[in-house]
Amino acid sequence: GAGVSQSPSNKVTEKGKDVELRCDPISGHTALYWYRQSLGQGLEFLIYFQGNSAPDKSGLPSDRFSAERTGGSVSTLTIQRTQQEDSAVYLCASSQQGVLNEKLFFGSGTQLSVL
Amino acid sequence: AQSVTQPDIHITVSEGASLELRCNYSYGATPYLFWYVQSPGQGLQLLLKYFSGDTLVQGIKGFEAEFKRSQSSFNLRKPSVHWSDAAEYFCAVGLPNNNAGNMLTFGGGTRLMVKP
């Protein structure tokens, strides 16, 4: 596609429910990142996929968070047993090779609200 | 650990006025430096980046930024602000030779409002 696509754009859920957030990166981009943007906060790194390598999960805040990337393309971020503190904008980004001097292309994000 | 500080959470300027958004970083070495802009309803977009060489870098939309090693700063500037520049601006730093997933550290952002 022309850009990074995320769905849904908004998600309201009840505390304790599971949610799945989807990211469709730019075709051909080998690197995919998930970030979280809480109100008034900077972007917090969550997880990184690069090609067929094992993902870098060092930013995941708890074991309720997981992500997968199928076929080196679409990625799904899953949050189990959601808590109110999970409310944030979840941003996905992709880049061609995953090196520092590359531009990251961001999606518009998924606004998650946990009631 | 690397850190990035954007001291101004909100800034309001009049259309046509000049703009400077501050960014300070904490790092042992000269990092790679970036400014991204997040317009309402849109994803973050890269404005400019600095890796080495000329310390004054030009970006898109008429923005520029100057790297000052002595001050550990990378402030973003624009001589004349347009109403469409109203957005949130993020400074980011990264360590050279670190291509891990958490290679970029973002500042807390500065929300720019433009008065007519």
Side-chain angles (χ1 to χ4, degrees):
Chain A
V4 177
S5 177
Q6 291 188 247
S7 61
S9 55
N10 281 282
K11 176 72 177 178
V12 180
T13 190
E14 294 178 350
K15 178 181 170 181
K17 295 281 180 70
D18 299 350
V19 295
E20 284 190 353
L21 312 180
R22 176 188 167 106
C23 173
D24 207 333
I26 292 174
S27 178
H29 280 193
T30 62
L32 186 148
Y33 307 80
W34 283 99
Y35 289 89
R36 178 167 70 174
Q37 183 181 17
S38 302
L39 193 62
Q41 304 293 314
L43 274 68
E44 174 190 5
F45 165 76
L46 296 177
I47 188 169
Y48 163 66
F49 295 89
Q50 170 58 289
N52 296 320
S53 303
D56 177 353
K57 305 178 182 180
S58 60
L60 294 179
S62 79
D63 59 8
R64 296 186 294 104
F65 288 72
S66 62
E68 61 178 25
R69 188 180 185 191
T70 53
S73 180
V74 172
S75 177
T76 302
L77 177 69
T78 301
I79 309 174
Q80 295 178 308
R81 306 180 303 281
T82 52
Q83 304 294 312
Q84 288 182 331
E85 62 263 27
D86 299 335
S87 297
V89 176
Y90 289 82
L91 294 170
C92 177
S94 70
S95 68
Q96 274 193 317
Q97 299 177 25
V99 295
L100 182 58
N101 59 358
E102 282 186 315
K103 179 166 71 170
L104 295 184
F105 293 81
F106 283 84
S108 299
T110 294
Q111 172 76 63
L112 175 65
S113 300
V114 182
L115 305 179
Chain B
Q2 64 206 59
S3 67
V4 186
T5 303
Q6 292 180 246
D8 305 305
I9 298 174
H10 292 101
I11 282 186
T12 300
V13 300
S14 298
E15 190 168 16
S18 64
L19 171 70
E20 183 169 31
L21 302 183
R22 295 183 290 165
C23 173
N24 293 95
Y25 63 88
S26 170
Y27 236 150
T30 300
Y32 287 7
L33 298 157
F34 306 80
W35 275 99
Y36 280 83
V37 60
Q38 185 180 35
S39 299
Q42 299 185 27
L44 278 79
Q45 180 182 21
L46 180 67
L47 281 176
L48 46 78
K49 56 187 178 181
Y50 172 79
F51 298 148
S52 64
D54 191 347
T55 56
L56 183 64
V57 294
Q58 303 297 320
I60 61 171
K61 304 184 180 186
F63 285 91
E64 65 178 28
E66 185 171 13
F67 167 58
K68 292 186 177 180
R69 185 192 309 272
S70 61
Q71 298 176 19
S72 297
S73 69
F74 188 56
N75 294 349
L76 182 71
R77 302 195 294 246
K78 187 169 184 177
S80 176
V81 169
H82 188 263
W83 66 266
S84 60
D85 293 325
E88 186 144 22
Y89 292 80
F90 291 92
C91 181
V93 301
L95 252 184
N97 302 318
N98 177 8
N99 292 319
N102 61 345
M103 59 185 184
L104 283 184
T105 299
F106 284 84
T110 298
R111 182 165 294 280
L112 173 66
M113 289 171 280
V114 181
K115 293 189 299 186

